[in-house]
Amino acid sequence: DWSSDVCSSDLYGNNWDSDEEAAAYGAAADGVRPWRADMRRAFAQRVEALGRGTRVLELGPGPGLLAECVLQHCPNVASYTVLDFSAPMLALCRKRLTAYPAARFVQASFKQTQWPEQIEPPVDCVLTMQAVHELRHKRHAVRLFRQVREVLAPGGVLLVCDHLPLDESVRSSTLYMTTDEQCDALTRAGFLNVRVDHAINGLTLYAGEKSTHTASGACA
């Protein structure tokens, strides 16, 4: 696992095992970055285009805002599994997604190497929004993306959104990847047709595809 790196609470003061802090984050997130709603709609549009029976896995769903948006707009989704280590966040997800029978809930950490054992692969699409930096160091991203590739069905899609480095500090550049770094990590993990799919105010959505063919990807 990657527990030797600095933990989230050390860097941000967030304790995701706290019901109060999880709820406060869920209530305030869009107030801090209101354009997150636009990014969630961009995710939903990509998932909707995948066709009927799509099986989705979301890593690090937080309070379930992205899951709710996708399930609202994508009747083609047959199952939507959210995976999070935080019991309070999963509780928020359960409450928010009560109306959606496609929703599934798994308590596990994608920082632990055995997380793929907690789901039922294959899936057609993996989503993650502002969660990959929770690896605590960008050097772990390739390993995570390789695990994602293994649980995807042939031709499956990874959609990953995170923030560009917020400033030039060591902390920010350690957690967050530049566009080139993100694309390189996806390509090294074996994804094809790697590209920037949407970007707004520092939030960037990247897409990559799994294929049985050997090829190289690059950001367009």
Side-chain angles (χ1 to χ4, degrees), residues 54-58 61 63-64 66-72 74-75 77-83 90-106:
T54 295
R55 298 158 295 180
V56 178
L57 167 66
E58 183 183 351
L66 176 58
E68 180 181 42
C69 180
V70 172
L71 288 167
Q72 279 180 342
C74 302
V77 170
S79 66
Y80 193 114
T81 301
V82 295
L83 181 149
L90 280 179
L92 292 175
C93 284
R94 288 181 184 276
K95 182 176 181 180
R96 188 178 301 277
L97 304 178
T98 300
Y100 301 99
R104 309 285 187 272
F105 307 91
V106 174

Side-chain angles (χ1 to χ4, degrees), residues 31-50:
V32 176
R33 295 189 174 99
W35 50 89
R36 284 163 45 93
D38 177 85
M39 185 60 76
R40 292 195 294 268
R41 288 190 291 270
F43 270 98
Q45 289 171 0
R46 287 20 170 213
V47 174
E48 187 178 22
L50 295 178

Side-chain angles (χ1 to χ4, degrees), residues 161-178:
C161 172
D162 215 334
H163 221 283
L164 298 174
L166 302 175
D167 52 46
E168 296 181 356
S169 68
V170 172
R171 184 178 79 169
S172 184
S173 62
T174 295
L175 289 177
Y176 301 102
M177 288 183 275
T178 65

Side-chain angles (χ1 to χ4, degrees), residues 127-146:
L127 315 179
T128 180
M129 181 172 173
Q130 288 187 271
V132 170
H133 65 263
E134 291 292 341
L135 293 172
R136 315 321 311 150
H137 198 293
K138 61 188 179 185
R139 67 172 175 266
H140 300 310
V142 173
R143 182 176 174 182
L144 174 64
F145 294 157
R146 284 174 178 160

Side-chain angles (χ1 to χ4, degrees), residues 106-129:
V106 174
Q107 186 172 2
S109 172
F110 61 75
K111 293 175 66 174
Q112 304 294 325
T113 56
Q114 67 270 26
W115 70 263
E117 300 171 11
Q118 307 302 311
I119 64 168
E120 297 182 9
V123 296
D124 303 298
C125 185
V126 174
L127 315 179
T128 180
M129 181 172 173

Side-chain angles (χ1 to χ4, degrees), residues 199-217:
I200 179 170
N201 292 339
L203 277 180
T204 307
L205 175 61
Y206 306 85
E209 301 167 10
K210 177 176 178 177
S211 174
T212 57
H213 303 291
T214 301
S216 59

